[in-house]
């Protein structure tokens, strides 16, 4: 099974492949267009981060106001209509950036120079879901969607 090429731009363009068993695999990479899609992407990343000990999914997240902001660009990856991956680009705004918690002084240099800054955040790919949909996917092939999501950002 080949992981599909990323389609740049803001359109969700499907790529349909056949698995070795003949199952149709419909991959879609694109921009989350609705608040519901952004929230679903946020909850996916929150769950996956929690599963790896990086936060408690049952508690509020300090990232939520940034990720759910309409100015934030959230990219999603779907396989057979199931969201399995996400990454977001958070632009600087009135509320700042998530990394202000650690780097406010360093970021102020860019802000004073009127530079546009943003933070890439919440990269998450549900490898278990991918392998449930197509058990023949190898670990290398399941890592490719992370790279594809970053290519969308760039």
């Amino acid at each position: 099974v080949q992981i599909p090429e990323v389609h740049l731009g803001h359109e969700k363009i499907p790529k349909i492949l056949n698995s070795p068993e003949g199952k149709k695999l419909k991959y879609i990479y694109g921009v989350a267009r609705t608040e519901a899609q952004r929230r679903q992407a946020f909850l996916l990343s929150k769950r996956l981060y929690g599963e790896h000990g990086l936060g408690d999914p049952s508690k509020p997240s300090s990232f939520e106001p940034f990720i759910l902001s309409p100015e934030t660009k959230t990219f999603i990856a779907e396989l057979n209509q199931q969201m399995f991956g996400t990454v977001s680009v958070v632009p600087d705004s009135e509320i700042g950036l998530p990394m202000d918690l650690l780097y406010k002084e360093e970021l102020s240099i860019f802000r004073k120079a009127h530079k546009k800054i943003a933070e890439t955040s919440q990269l998450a790919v549900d490898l278990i879901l991918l392998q449930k949909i197509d058990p023949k996917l190898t670990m290398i092939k399941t890592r490719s969607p992370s790279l594809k999501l970053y290519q969308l950002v760039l």
Side-chain angles (χ1 to χ4, degrees):
V1 174
Q2 287 184 322
I3 297 297
E5 293 298 313
V6 169
H7 301 280
L8 300 177
H10 300 283
E11 296 302 313
K12 291 173 119 184
I13 303 171
K15 175 83 174 188
I16 299 174
L17 303 169
N18 288 317
S19 72
E21 297 83 29
K23 287 193 292 185
K24 295 282 186 207
L25 301 175
K26 185 177 178 182
Y27 286 87
I28 298 176
Y29 293 88
V31 176
R33 298 247 175 245
T34 66
E35 184 179 341
Q37 286 178 320
R38 286 194 302 274
R39 181 161 292 283
Q40 182 184 0
F42 172 69
L43 292 174
L44 172 68
S45 64
K46 190 174 177 182
R47 178 180 59 81
L48 292 172
Y49 278 56
E51 287 174 6
H52 289 89
L54 301 170
D56 182 345
S58 67
K59 293 185 178 173
S61 168
S62 60
F63 284 90
E64 190 165 353
F66 300 100
I67 301 302
L68 297 181
S69 165
E71 289 81 29
T72 295
K73 225 18 138 186
T74 299
F75 299 88
I76 57 175
E78 297 175 341
L79 174 55
N80 293 354
Q81 298 183 328
Q82 293 186 59
M83 188 182 297
F84 70 86
T86 183
V87 65
S88 293
V89 178
V90 180
D92 199 14
S93 68
E94 299 279 323
I95 62 171
L97 294 167
M99 65 180 152
D100 276 317
L101 202 60
L102 298 173
Y103 302 107
K104 191 167 188 90
E105 188 177 322
E106 292 86 344
L107 293 170
S108 70
I109 295 167
F110 296 103
R111 290 180 175 121
K112 285 177 187 171
H114 303 289
K115 301 287 182 184
K116 289 185 178 183
I117 55 177
E119 179 175 346
T120 304
S121 185
Q122 302 291 292
L123 173 66
V125 175
D126 189 341
L127 301 176
I128 294 170
L129 175 63
L130 279 177
Q131 290 186 321
K132 281 182 185 174
I133 293 171
D134 188 357
K136 297 280 185 188
L137 286 174
T138 65
M139 200 48 101
I140 291 171
K141 289 177 183 170
T142 57
R143 301 276 182 214
S144 293
S146 299
L147 300 174
K148 304 272 186 228
L149 283 165
Y150 266 118
Q151 285 177 334
L152 280 173
V153 170
L154 302 176

